[in-house]
Amino acid sequence: MTDTAILMIDDDQALSEMLREYLAPEHLGLDSATTGEAGIESLKSGNYRLLILDIMLPGMNGLEVLKQVRGFSEIPTIMLTAKGDDVDRILGLELGADDYLSKPFNARELLARIKAILRRSPGGSGSSGQRLLVGGLELDVRAQRVVAGDTELRLTGTEFELLRRLAESPGVVVSKDELSQTALGRRHMPYDRSIDTHVSNVRGKLSDAGVNSPQIQSRRGVGYCLLIEA
């Protein structure tokens, strides 16, 4: 079996080597870069399916790296943040990170996050050939493509999974816990703003594409629903 290629951008070489050994039995191959600049070049030249990106990097920090990466790639990304650093965590999600882990973290938890993301990525075991038509949107589930008229929306894997789940039940409120399980592969935790931030990102991209219907509406304290204008 060919190993799935993962890139880790982190200046902690001992951590990268430890994770490389831990992930190898799962057929997950890990390459590493110690600076943002080197990591960006590796992404441009390599064929990676997932990026693990530390925010605290020498020189160009992880947020700036992610901003540049999103200019040419929608590669699924897990951010590594300092424990309790909510500001950087939210900024990372707003820039298009799929998920995050706080350092120090359990390698088993990281593996679970990696597997959840790979399952929902194009070609993963969780994909199917289903197509959804909702309002002015067409969703291709297998390819994780969203088209509005002649415009293709650039969504991350997490953003796509959120929109897909809402599109499966238009007009029905979907709880944050269900959205978290679907899009992140984990339970929604109190005070975790990840789902809210991802929904805000999708709303912004729908608006930028001139999509007036459907719209994502919130139900305070419950979740979100996708409404189609009559």
Side-chain angles (χ1 to χ4, degrees):
M1 181 183 296
T2 302
D3 285 355
T4 295
I6 298 171
L7 178 66
M8 182 171 186
I9 307 178
D10 194 315
D11 62 331
D12 188 339
Q13 297 184 52
L15 176 61
S16 297
E17 183 57 36
M18 182 273 289
L19 287 176
R20 181 179 293 110
E21 295 178 1
Y22 183 82
L23 297 175
E26 303 290 333
H27 298 285
L28 298 170
L30 184 75
D31 292 341
S32 62
T34 57
T35 67
E37 293 86 351
I40 289 172
E41 289 305 310
S42 294
L43 279 177
K44 288 180 177 179
S45 61
N47 185 24
Y48 296 100
R49 288 191 61 195
L50 188 140
L51 171 64
I52 302 172
L53 175 60
D54 187 19
I55 284 185
M56 299 298 292
L57 291 170
M60 183 189 301
N61 67 36
L63 295 174
E64 180 59 35
V65 172
L66 183 58
K67 186 182 300 183
Q68 292 199 27
V69 168
R70 284 293 174 255
F72 65 87
S73 173
E74 296 300 325
I75 184 172
T77 301
I78 298 175
M79 298 288 293
L80 302 180
T81 68
K83 189 173 183 179
D85 199 340
D86 294 333
V87 173
D88 280 349
R89 187 175 302 158
I90 294 299
L91 286 174
L93 293 172
E94 289 176 344
L95 288 171
D98 292 80
D99 206 351
Y100 65 86
L101 269 180
S102 299
K103 284 185 171 182
F105 56 84
N106 186 295
R108 182 177 296 179
E109 176 66 13
L110 176 61
L111 176 60
R113 302 284 179 94
I114 290 172
K115 287 184 174 181
I117 287 177
L118 292 178
R119 277 196 302 270
R120 66 176 183 260
S121 64
S125 60
S127 62
S128 71
Q130 184 181 16
R131 287 180 180 269
L132 298 172
L133 298 175
V134 185
L137 297 178
E138 178 181 353
L139 285 75
D140 182 334
V141 176
R142 178 174 292 279
Q144 287 197 342
R145 294 177 66 247
V146 180
V147 177
D150 296 326
T151 303
E152 181 175 347
L153 277 63
R154 291 187 59 185
L155 301 183
T156 67
T158 298
E159 292 166 357
F160 179 88
E161 285 301 309
L162 281 173
L163 184 58
R164 178 193 63 78
R165 178 61 192 90
L166 294 171
E168 288 177 340
S169 307
V172 176
V173 178
V174 182
S175 70
K176 288 185 181 181
D177 189 60
E178 183 174 349
L179 289 173
S180 184
Q181 292 282 11
T182 298
L184 300 175
R186 57 182 172 86
R187 292 178 54 196
H188 175 71
M189 303 300 292
Y191 309 111
D192 185 350
R193 301 286 295 174
S194 299
I195 292 299
D196 301 310
T197 305
H198 287 306
V199 168
S200 178
N201 289 344
V202 175
R203 281 174 168 162
K205 292 179 180 182
L206 290 174
S207 176
D208 291 344
V211 177
N212 297 316
S213 177
Q215 294 184 349
I216 303 176
Q217 295 197 354
S218 61
R219 293 294 184 267
R220 188 174 180 83
V222 182
Y224 293 92
C225 68
L226 199 65
L227 292 184
I228 303 174
E229 294 183 354

